[in-house]
């Protein structure tokens, strides 16, 4: 639907993948015209030497991201297997302890090797894993054992009070509830097996005694005493159901079960802003398919493959999305990143020496350079360099493979592949930079890197990372002139404005889902999932910036956002379409900021991947509230949080009634 009908809170990154119009070449300008980032905007790591600088991770991986922080902690992963080389770590609060989940978008080019890591199976089985538990055990909750015994007990007591349960006369409803409890008891006992862990053993004994009490009370027509669930505190070996491989296959791959697609279903506390998830709740009735993957040791993954999900019939914004889910407990941040390796994906933090590749790749897409012969040749050369590196590493390490079994050999080969991917990337950067320089009118890669607009440092924007466009950075004066007297605007509701500012981010539909924001916040969420617009937030170019009529977010200097490399726009209402299967249904889009500056259609839209940090350097110039009461309320909220400025302006100058 139209831009002004959307309300949003927080977002997840995805760059448009559909073809867009070729942008006009942007002419370079003097360095003095480039706005510098705020000191805390650029990702930085203190080091002692250039050598150390190159080896340092651009985004260190936290052991446990801030628990309950809804938009999580953005990280960069070495290589190009993930879209923009980025992922987000979220630690959801839960009764069992923090539940850390890695959220990422796998690049379509990396899918083949990911699928090679999966042995698709229809078999599932109970698997014992060690995890921290604060409450009922997973196998108890799965089979609802406590619930069914309690229901049977309540039925006995109810019918005794009603006078229709007596010795030898058991109402059919009570009998059925007791039988349901027995069935659940048998299923739990079967799942935990003949050698249950101490926690499972104690649980079985507890429920066996409670069920015997219920049966005895029913037979004697007596009231049943209180039935309480079995609760465990601390580390326990517990039983969960996961896809498994047959024991005699000798397969080194991970087991994956293809099922109907779902989305993670956390909850967001509107008062505290804390995101929670119990490790199981998921949105169903999602159009598409996904693999549930058993990574072992209580870790699992959920992946929605491009190859299985047709753009014509499934939710386009879900394709390629990956979750790696850790068991409950602290310290799993590095673990979920390492588990990417089990899926044949690069699994190391991106170093500064590698980071420039992500920057160049983002600019290739933003400036529509991928079809240029020189760029295509550079990418092919880079692939060949990686293959050469892989062969060199194999010859260096071949002696280490002696005596390894099949599974160990598979891990050995996988490690070489991942190491080659990482080691070849700095050289691939130089090759790609030379090609990009040539097609953008620069003599050499070094000449391009010396321009004022070239800045390969990622910037954090809310819970995600963004790259800048060097063509825009080198043409900022012209862009400012093109947008003179115009503004970018996002219209919302009073409730939506308060929620956005409480969380500090304007977010896409997909990102809101990960945060736990309830459905129905945007006016066209379902439609946007099929067009791909659900991965972005929507703004609109207005030739006459509004001075009243809130609630609205207003950027009076649009160039502060248009330096980013992840936006696109259409001079019509297109639901943010990037799905090529929908190309004939909507107007074409462009990534050219000068064409966007000319948008005049009443329903034009400009989409930004993931979302926008509303309280940092990208924050709006003005926040138009719908009343003085709302302005005062938001002002008080900012003051309580210690927020005095937004994008360098005092909040008194930003908040308008």
């Amino acid at each position: 639907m139209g831009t002004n009908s959307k309300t949003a809170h927080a977002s997840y990154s995805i760059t448009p993948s559909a073809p867009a119009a070729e942008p006009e070449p942007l002419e370079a300008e003097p360095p003095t015209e480039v706005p510098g980032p705020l000191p805390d905007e650029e990702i930085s790591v203190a080091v002692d030497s250039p050598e150390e600088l190159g080896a340092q991770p651009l985004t260190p991986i936290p052991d446990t991201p801030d628990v309950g922080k809804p938009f999580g902690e953005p990280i960069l992963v070495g290589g190009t297997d993930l879209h923009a080389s980025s992922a987000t770590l979220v630690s959801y609060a839960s009764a069992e302890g923090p539940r850390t989940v890695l959220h990422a978008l796998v690049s379509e080019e990396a899918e083949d090797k990911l699928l090679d890591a999966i042995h698709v199976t229809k078999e599932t089985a109970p698997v014992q894993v060690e995890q921290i538990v604060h409450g009922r055990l997973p196998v108890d909750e799965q089979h609802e054992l406590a619930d069914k015994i309690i229901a049977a007990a309540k039925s006995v007591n109810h019918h005794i009070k009603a006078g229709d349960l007596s010795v030898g006369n058991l109402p059919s409803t009570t009998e059925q509830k007791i039988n349901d409890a027995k069935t659940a008891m048998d299923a739990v006992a079967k799942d935990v097996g003949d050698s249950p862990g101490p926690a499972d053993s104690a649980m079985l004994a507890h429920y066996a005694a409670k069920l015997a009490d219920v049966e005895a009370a029913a037979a004697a027509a007596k009231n049943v005493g209180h039935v309480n669930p079995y609760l465990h505190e601390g580390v326990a070996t517990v039983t969960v159901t996961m896809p498994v491989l047959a024991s005699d296959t000798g397969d080194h791959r991970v087991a994956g079960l293809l099922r109907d697609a779902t989305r993670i279903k956390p909850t967001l506390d509107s008062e505290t802003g804390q995101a929670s998830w119990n490790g199981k709740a998921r949105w169903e009735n999602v159009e598409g398919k996904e693999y549930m993957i058993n990574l072992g040791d209580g870790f699992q993954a959920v992946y929605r493959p491009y190859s299985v999900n047709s753009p014509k019939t499934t939710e386009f914004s879900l394709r390629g999305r990956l979750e790696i889910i850790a068991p409950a407990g602290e310290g799993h941040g590095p673990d979920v990143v390492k588990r990417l390796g089990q899926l044949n994906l690069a699994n190391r933090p991106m170093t500064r020496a590698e980071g420039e590749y992500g920057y160049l790749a983002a600019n290739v897409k933003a400036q529509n350079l991928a079809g240029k012969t020189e760029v295509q040749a550079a990418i092919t050369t880079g692939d060949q360099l990686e293959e050469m590196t892989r062969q060199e590493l194999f010859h260096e390490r071949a002696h280490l493979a002696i005596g390894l079994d099949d599974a160990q050999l598979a891990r050995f080969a996988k490690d070489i592949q991942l190491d080659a991917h990482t080691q070849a990337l700095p050289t691939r950067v130089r090759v790609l930079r030379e090609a990009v320089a040539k097609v953008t009118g620069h003599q050499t890669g070094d000449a391009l890197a010396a321009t004022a607009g070239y800045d390969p440092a990622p910037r954090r924007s809310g819970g995600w990372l963004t790259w800048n466009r060097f063509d825009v950075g080198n043409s900022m004066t012209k862009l400012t002139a093109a947008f003179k007297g115009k503004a970018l605007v996002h219209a919302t509701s009073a409730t939506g404005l308060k929620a956005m500012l409480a969380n500090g981010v304007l977010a896409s539909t997909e990102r809101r889902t990960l945060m736990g924001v309830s459905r129905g916040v945007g006016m066209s969420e379902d439609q946007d999932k099929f067009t791909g617009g659900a991965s972005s937030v929507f703004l609109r170019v207005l030739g006459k910036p509004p001075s009243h009529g809130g609630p609205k977010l207003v950027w009076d200097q649009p160039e502060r956002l248009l330096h980013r490399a992840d936006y696109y726009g259409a001079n019509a209402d297109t639901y943010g379409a990037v799905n090529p299967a929908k190309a004939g249904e909507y107007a074409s889009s462009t990534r050219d900021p000068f064409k966007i500056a000319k948008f005049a259609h009443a329903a034009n839209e400009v989409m930004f991947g993931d979302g926008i940090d509303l309280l940092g350097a990208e924050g709006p110039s003005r926040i138009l509230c719908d009343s003085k009461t709302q302005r005062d309320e938001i002002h008080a909220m900012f003051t309580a949080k210690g927020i005095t400025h937004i994008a360098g302006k005092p909040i008194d100058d930003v908040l308008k009634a």
Side-chain angles (χ1 to χ4, degrees):
M1 237 16 229
T3 308
N4 286 344
S5 65
K6 297 183 184 296
T7 305
H9 309 326
S11 124
Y12 185 97
S13 165
I14 183 170
T15 303
S17 57
E22 185 78 17
E24 300 168 0
L26 305 184
E27 298 178 11
E29 293 190 355
T32 54
E33 303 298 342
V34 181
L38 296 185
D40 61 347
E41 186 184 13
E42 184 170 327
I43 303 297
S44 61
V45 179
V47 292
D48 297 324
S49 69
E51 291 76 15
E52 288 176 319
L53 181 66
Q56 288 289 328
L58 273 171
T59 53
I61 298 171
D63 288 340
T64 304
D66 291 344
V67 178
K69 186 176 181 180
F71 47 77
E73 188 71 24
I75 62 169
L76 288 170
V77 178
T80 58
D81 292 338
L82 303 183
H83 172 75
S85 301
S86 66
T88 301
L89 301 180
V90 182
S91 276
Y92 298 101
S94 80
E96 295 76 31
R99 294 185 176 275
T100 300
V101 181
L102 179 148
H103 297 285
L105 180 67
V106 177
S107 71
E108 193 163 0
E109 293 75 19
E111 177 164 285
D112 284 347
K113 63 180 180 180
L114 185 156
L115 296 181
D116 284 344
I118 304 173
H119 180 113
V120 181
T121 177
K122 295 183 179 179
E123 301 296 324
T124 61
V127 177
Q128 289 191 333
V129 299
E130 191 174 81
Q131 67 181 49
I132 297 173
V133 178
H134 299 285
R136 292 168 61 185
L137 300 183
V139 71
D140 170 18
E141 292 186 325
Q142 177 188 344
H143 293 285
E144 300 178 332
L145 179 54
D147 311 82
K148 291 175 180 177
I149 295 176
I150 291 171
K154 288 182 177 179
S155 182
V156 170
N157 291 344
H158 168 75
H159 286 285
I160 288 176
K161 184 176 181 180
D164 58 356
L165 190 160
S166 57
V167 175
N169 180 30
L170 187 64
S172 60
T173 54
T174 302
E175 183 177 12
Q176 183 60 53
K177 285 182 170 58
I178 292 174
N179 288 337
D180 290 345
K182 288 181 177 180
T183 301
M185 187 75 188
D186 291 342
V188 170
K190 180 180 178 181
D191 277 4
V192 301
D194 297 330
S195 303
D200 284 339
S201 294
M203 175 201 62
L204 287 172
H206 173 84
Y207 287 130
K210 296 298 181 183
L211 183 55
D213 289 345
V214 172
E215 291 185 279
K222 294 182 178 179
N223 282 318
V224 184
H226 179 67
V227 177
N228 58 299
Y230 175 80
L231 304 177
H232 183 87
E233 295 290 328
V235 178
T237 300
V238 299
T239 304
V240 297
T241 300
M242 294 289 290
V244 295
L245 301 176
S247 58
D248 59 350
T249 63
D251 202 326
H252 59 270
R253 295 174 293 173
V254 292
L257 175 71
L258 187 64
R259 67 184 187 186
D260 290 339
T262 64
R263 281 183 173 85
I264 192 170
K265 191 180 180 182
T267 57
L268 183 65
D269 189 304
S270 60
E271 296 298 323
T272 65
Q274 183 181 69
S276 303
W277 185 51
N278 63 7
K280 295 179 288 295
R282 304 192 72 84
W283 291 105
E284 298 180 345
N285 299 319
V286 176
E287 294 296 332
K289 294 288 184 180
E290 68 186 15
Y291 287 110
M292 180 178 70
I293 305 164
N294 181 3
L295 299 178
D297 304 319
F299 289 80
Q300 60 180 291
V302 179
Y303 178 63
R304 295 85 178 188
Y306 295 93
S307 55
V308 175
N309 292 301
S310 168
K312 296 180 180 180
T313 57
T314 62
E315 296 180 15
F316 189 81
S317 62
L318 196 66
R319 300 169 78 236
R321 293 198 179 272
L322 171 70
E323 299 162 13
I324 295 185
I325 304 165
E330 297 184 350
H332 288 312
D335 296 332
V336 291
V337 176
K338 290 177 183 176
R339 295 278 172 171
L340 288 167
Q342 290 181 266
L343 300 175
N344 291 341
L345 303 175
N347 64 347
R348 297 174 177 84
M350 176 175 278
T351 65
R352 287 179 175 271
E354 299 172 294
E356 191 177 355
Y357 196 92
Y359 172 74
L360 287 167
N363 271 272
V364 165
K365 177 166 282 191
Q367 299 181 49
N368 289 326
L369 305 177
K372 301 293 185 181
T373 302
E374 296 88 344
V375 172
Q376 292 177 340
I379 292 172
T380 299
T381 300
D383 292 340
Q384 294 170 344
L385 287 168
E386 182 173 324
E387 176 59 21
M388 290 171 57
T389 304
R390 188 189 67 80
Q391 293 180 19
E392 290 172 0
L393 289 175
F394 177 79
H395 289 300
E396 289 174 6
R397 303 178 187 178
H399 65 285
L400 300 175
I402 298 173
L404 299 182
D405 60 26
D406 288 346
Q408 291 170 330
L409 282 172
R411 286 194 294 271
F412 174 77
K414 188 180 296 184
D415 286 343
I416 288 178
Q417 180 180 358
L418 294 172
D419 287 346
H421 190 75
T422 300
Q423 290 185 25
L425 204 54
T427 304
R428 295 178 70 182
V429 166
R430 292 192 291 272
V431 173
L432 183 57
R433 190 202 302 147
E434 290 294 329
V436 170
K438 184 175 182 179
V439 299
T440 55
H442 298 84
Q443 291 295 319
T444 65
D446 288 342
L448 170 61
T451 63
Y454 193 88
D455 182 9
R459 269 126 172 109
R460 178 166 181 164
S461 178
W464 46 92
L465 297 165
T466 64
W467 302 98
N468 285 354
R469 287 179 61 157
F470 65 77
D471 60 333
V472 171
N474 287 330
S475 304
M476 192 57 72
T477 298
K478 284 190 174 183
L479 188 59
T480 299
F483 272 96
K484 184 177 180 180
K486 300 180 180 182
L488 285 173
V489 179
H490 177 87
T492 181
S493 65
T495 301
L497 180 64
K498 181 180 177 181
M500 282 186 248
L501 296 176
N503 291 318
V505 285
L506 171 64
S508 71
T509 297
E510 289 291 353
R511 173 62 68 162
R512 293 197 303 270
T513 299
L514 305 183
M515 294 173 62
V517 176
S518 60
R519 287 181 170 180
V521 174
M523 293 297 291
S524 59
E525 291 179 347
D526 291 338
Q527 183 77 7
D528 292 350
K529 291 171 185 174
F530 286 91
T531 64
S535 298
S536 301
V537 295
F538 292 63
L539 276 65
R540 175 163 293 155
V541 178
L542 291 185
K544 184 179 180 181
S547 58
H548 58 276
K552 291 184 177 73
L553 303 172
V554 182
W555 284 263
D556 291 316
Q557 295 84 34
E559 61 272 17
R560 288 200 293 112
L561 295 180
L562 295 172
H563 65 82
R564 287 173 50 159
D566 61 353
Y567 62 85
Y568 61 109
N571 196 24
D573 185 357
T574 69
Y575 296 91
V578 291
N579 182 350
K582 305 288 184 182
E585 300 178 27
Y586 302 105
S588 61
S589 63
T590 180
R591 297 188 183 96
D592 185 337
F594 290 97
K595 290 182 178 179
I596 291 173
K598 296 177 181 178
F599 283 179
H601 192 285
N604 77 78
E605 51 191 24
V606 184
M607 283 64 65
F608 290 83
D610 286 342
I612 298 170
D613 181 359
L614 298 179
L615 304 180
E618 292 184 351
S621 310
R622 290 176 290 140
I623 299 173
L624 304 184
C625 303
D626 68 347
S627 65
K628 183 178 183 301
T629 299
Q630 186 182 49
R631 181 194 182 280
D632 293 343
E633 181 182 10
I634 292 174
H635 193 287
M637 178 179 68
F638 283 166
T639 301
K641 293 184 175 184
I643 299 168
T644 60
H645 290 71
I646 293 178
K649 291 177 62 176
I651 58 173
D652 286 334
D653 294 339
V654 176
L655 288 172
K656 305 291 182 180

